[in-house]
Amino acid sequence: MRPERLTPHARDLTTRSLDWMDQQWDPEVGLLRAPEEPGGGNAPTGHLVRETGWYAVGLLARNLPARDDAEADLERARRALTRVLDHQLDAPGERFHGTWLRSPHEPRPTAESVEWRDYDPNWREFIGTTLVVVANEFPEALAGDLGPRVEAALRLAVEGSLARGVGAHYTNIALMAAFLLEDAAVRLGEPSWEAPALRLAEQVLARFRVDGTFDEYNSPTYYGIDLYALALWRRYARRPLLRDGGAEMESVLWRDTARRYHAGLRNLAGPYDRSYGMDLRHYASGIGLWVWAAVGRDLAPFPETDRPFRHAWDLALGPVVAVLGAEVPDDALAHLRGFRGERQVDQVIVREPRRVASSWVGERLLVGAEDVAGERGNLADQFHPATVHWLVDGVSGASGSGAGGLGGDGADVGWIRLVSDLTVDARAEGPSLTLTCSRHDGGDLAFAFHVRVPEAGLDGGRTARDVVVDLPFADLTTERWALPGLEVTLDTDAELVAVEPDPADDTWWLRYVARDVPADSPVRFGIALRAE
């Protein structure tokens, strides 16, 4: 694939992501260096194996002389692919057979190794599908012994994937696994692999068709991987089940995403089953890359790539997104280009145990909530069951069909998220939230609201019980928060006990406690929101 075959937006995405990756390339090691994560956090270190495979796709799509030396992009891509292949694990009978090291700096796993901590089983699907993209789009890159090495690597990856037997509910990995098995059945002459591929594809499709959604709901990073996998189904799959089913799910996924998207705030309304951040403009996300490919950089929910940004390694996926191409239904595309009016969005995620997402998309305000029916759901730090975004200043581009970006000098987005170790059922209804915690062991129950108010902050470090925190930009009491651009009114039996700065960034914690609560007695927050 030559650059002229890419759309202008896809070409721009490829160029900018390659500009960034060229700076991360380590010619001595033959891999990309891991970028530093602003503010620290759980970031990869050393060098990156998976992302180097994505870099190779970008080099092949560009296929122009590299800017740092005389080495051609084709030669660098071949070296990058060779180094990726060097880090696959060939260990028949072991749980990690066929996957890859995440970095050459981590030790090779043993029988005692712990999945996710010591190795990532999903690198089979991520890197395996990347190799299929290379084989389909750039077969000339696999001349010589590289072609047989790629086929051998795909065989190991499929063997490990079959032994693992990922479930249909693990959406992004199941989608990639079904495609990888279906492709390898023909590519490697293993017809017996087709049956498990079609079975997994049927299970994912049937599960999706119940309510038109995936288990990993509204996940900005993993929706990007879902769209990647569905584009593989749509573009390369041999069987109609995957080709047609991929196109069907891709269209529905775009429409559901568009319902919750605000082009003016350049953010998705919550809730987020899995998210690595609260503001898409400040960290790299998969969905941000796909919106970029669809409507261009200026309208995309993505940080500036010429300065440090969080989760930066995910920018490496950009060339693969560009090569596969975004196919967005026209009605969804309109929402990506400009705000299309206030709306309430309700969605059943799964029926047993029942989970329901609700969102309000207003001109200056986004509200998101998830009801898990009192069941203890995903309580990891990626799960955000109650969220708020609001426009702090400026105008939102509500009426202009092409006005996707924030208007006005100094306009920015503030946000709030609920954080608690307790199970909380949340409901968004218009510009309001209702939070209910009804399954617990009693006693003093803690809830926290993590808040970002751009360029203002809150004056913390003091106890807030029975006291008004009176600041030029914010008044905080148990029942009322007056924040720049947002008034929050709370009806609750819990009390605000502390306002604390987060030492890692410009955010703050508003901590509430409900005292001496009998076991399983409901604790509620009624939260009314008014964006100004």
Side-chain angles (χ1 to χ4, degrees), residues 50 54 89 95-102 115-116 119-130 157 160-161 164-167 170-177 180 216 222 225 228 274 276:
R50 176 187 63 172
W54 294 338
L89 299 171
R95 289 171 297 134
F96 45 82
H97 174 60
T99 196
W100 272 263
L101 295 176
R102 292 164 291 195
E115 191 175 65
W116 309 116
Y119 67 94
D120 195 322
N122 297 338
W123 262 227
R124 298 183 186 100
E125 286 75 21
F126 278 114
I127 298 176
T129 55
T130 301
S161 186
R164 179 189 184 189
V166 68
Y170 195 176
T171 306
N172 75 98
I173 304 304
L175 288 168
M176 288 191 288
L180 187 62
E216 294 174 320
Y222 294 100
I225 303 303
Y228 160 70
R274 299 184 68 186
Y276 294 108

Side-chain angles (χ1 to χ4, degrees), residues 30 71 73 88 150 194 304 331:
E71 183 183 33
D73 282 347
Q88 190 178 27
V150 165
E194 185 176 70
E304 296 296 330
D331 54 335

